[in-house]
Amino acid sequence: MSTDTKNKGPREESVGLAIFKFLPLLVFILLVIFLQLDLLVAAPIAVFAAVVVSMYVNRNNFDAAFEFGVNSVRSIVMVFFVSMFAYGVGECFMATGVGAAIINLSLAAGVTGQTIAPLSFILTCLLSLATGTSWGTFAACAPIFLWLNYILGGNTVLVLGAIAGGSCFGDNIGMISDTTVLSCGMQDIKIIDRVKHQGPWSLICVVLTLIITFAMSLSLPSTQGSLAEALENIPPEAYAALEVERPAALALLEQVQTGVPIYMAIPFVVVIGTAFTGMNTMLCLGCGMVSAMILGTFAGTCTPMTWLNDMVLSAFGESGSWAIVMMMWVAAFGGIMNSMNAFQPLANLVSQAVQECPPSDGLVRYSVRRRQRRPVG
């Protein structure tokens, strides 16, 4: 292939060329679905397939084609820093006692067979929102609530569903979730804006789930259970598994059992409160980490040095693993595909289909209101 590309522009659009532009995406699908390669292997291959296609479509050389991907990665570098802080605040909240304080406050009123499922749902929603991790929340809360449920004679399937649903809630909407951070970076929007726009319907889902869960629990026993009894009955195998897979969750369980001061819940309020004041996301997360360290020092759950060497260092190291590397390849892939307008024909087709569909009266009224609120110029 010739590298003399200075006087050549992109090739003329045609149906065949539009289909050819989708070749890198087809390569990625083939590698992942049919050959079952790991995403971290399939993504680089798809990127280089996109480079080859871009070289043909745009009539440029390798350096110029790959530069589109590099520029796309440059545009999301800030997301990597936010992701580091998100991992950091999640680790600090799990290890310093913030998560344990939230659990103990939720269980203070007492638990019965009728309230175990709704309470486990509310608690996992709060804990996943505070720590930004769904699997961490599930690992920390499942042993507690499943054993409480067994003691109280509750519905195991209902409690398991409540724990899973609540754990995913915070990972989906929480501003310190790596899922939220990475998706915002890929779409070039502010994290707090995503949270504000996604919040209303997410809260509606929470309320509906809570109502349904409570209604299904009304026929269950109303006898009150003991948290201490549930923790004592957790099998050693569960603790051993947590020690290997999620040490922070094991520390949280131990803190729940020994107890932590109520004021350890304050860092959670600090992060949420500062976020909704419009403060920079990194500053919000930094305030949560520092406040957890200060209060944890008074509570005896950490020292400044263990906070730095164990929690912050561990979280920062983990944040630079699979997710960040994968995001770099995805961003590069998107940048190269965008350089040749690979998805423009598909976007035009969807836009044409939408325009041909007659809008409902409600949609027309909504569009009119949007145009009226739109600032002039």
Side-chain angles (χ1 to χ4, degrees):
M1 186 178 294
S2 174
T3 58
D4 183 14
T5 61
K6 292 182 180 179
N7 299 321
K8 297 180 180 179
R11 296 181 185 274
E12 292 184 7
E13 291 292 338
S14 65
V15 175
L17 189 65
I19 295 175
F20 180 65
K21 291 177 182 178
F22 275 91
L23 181 61
L25 187 61
L26 295 177
V27 168
F28 182 75
I29 293 172
L30 173 67
L31 294 174
V32 174
I33 296 179
F34 295 99
L35 299 183
Q36 297 184 348
L37 288 182
D38 189 275
L39 289 174
L40 207 54
V41 175
I45 297 175
V47 167
F48 286 106
V51 168
V52 173
V53 173
S54 176
M55 290 170 64
Y56 176 80
V57 172
N58 292 327
R59 303 189 192 198
N60 54 18
N61 56 30
F62 179 88
D63 291 340
F66 194 73
E67 186 66 19
F68 288 114
V70 174
N71 288 334
S72 181
V73 174
R74 288 193 187 107
S75 68
I76 61 170
V77 168
M78 184 62 185
V79 179
F80 301 154
F81 289 100
V82 175
S83 179
M84 288 174 60
F85 275 70
Y87 272 86
V89 77
E91 185 75 17
C92 291
F93 280 12
M94 292 282 280
T96 60
V98 177
I102 294 173
I103 291 178
N104 288 335
L105 282 172
S106 302
L107 296 176
V111 189
T112 67
Q114 292 179 347
T115 61
I116 180 68
L119 186 60
S120 61
F121 177 70
I122 295 173
L123 176 58
T124 49
C125 282
L126 290 174
L127 193 59
S128 61
L129 190 64
T131 61
T133 168
S134 55
W135 285 111
T137 300
F138 190 90
C141 293
I144 297 174
F145 285 107
L146 288 176
W147 277 104
L148 268 175
N149 176 73
Y150 174 77
I151 293 170
L152 298 171
N155 188 310
T156 302
V157 175
L158 193 60
V159 172
L160 190 61
I163 297 171
S167 298
C168 292
F169 168 76
D171 198 29
N172 175 55
I173 194 177
M175 59 172 291
I176 63 175
S177 164
D178 56 350
T179 305
T180 305
V181 172
L182 297 181
S183 63
C184 287
M186 295 304 299
Q187 300 171 69
D188 193 24
I189 62 173
K190 293 182 178 179
I191 296 174
I192 188 60
D193 290 341
R194 178 187 184 276
V195 173
K196 287 180 178 178
H197 284 82
Q198 191 166 319
W201 70 263
S202 296
L203 292 176
I204 291 173
C205 292
V206 166
V207 172
L208 291 176
T209 303
L210 189 59
I211 292 172
I212 294 172
T213 304
F214 182 74
M216 295 178 67
S217 303
L218 290 176
S219 60
L220 298 173
S222 59
T223 53
Q224 200 170 78
S226 167
L227 173 63
E229 185 180 356
L231 290 172
E232 289 174 1
N233 283 279
I234 296 176
E237 294 82 3
Y239 283 109
L242 283 178
E243 188 173 4
V244 175
E245 300 294 335
R246 192 71 183 180
L250 182 61
L252 185 147
L253 276 177
E254 293 173 351
Q255 290 167 354
V256 168
Q257 192 167 15
T258 58
V260 294
I262 295 176
Y263 60 72
M264 284 308 302
I266 293 176
F268 172 61
V269 179
V270 169
V271 171
I272 302 300
T274 53
F276 280 92
T277 63
M279 185 182 291
N280 179 278
T281 303
M282 287 183 63
L283 291 177
C284 297
L285 301 178
C287 288
M289 293 168 62
V290 173
S291 61
M293 181 271 293
I294 295 173
L295 295 175
T297 301
F298 284 104
T301 56
C302 73
T303 66
M305 292 309 297
T306 58
W307 176 77
L308 278 174
N309 292 326
D310 296 341
M311 302 172 201
V312 176
L313 179 61
S314 172
F316 281 8
E318 186 179 353
S319 71
S321 59
W322 187 92
I324 299 301
V325 177
M326 187 65 198
M327 186 177 177
M328 292 176 64
W329 285 114
V330 171
F333 181 82
I336 298 169
M337 295 292 282
N338 185 58
S339 72
M340 51 185 172
N341 296 319
F343 299 106
Q344 191 62 46
L346 182 61
N348 292 339
L349 184 64
V350 173
S351 178
Q352 183 179 355
V354 171
Q355 290 174 1
E356 291 175 355
C357 294
S360 64
D361 292 340
L363 183 58
V364 170
R365 290 194 297 270
Y366 174 76
S367 300
V368 170
R369 289 197 301 271
R370 291 276 293 180
R371 285 196 296 269
Q372 289 173 345
R373 290 198 300 265
R374 189 176 299 163
V376 179

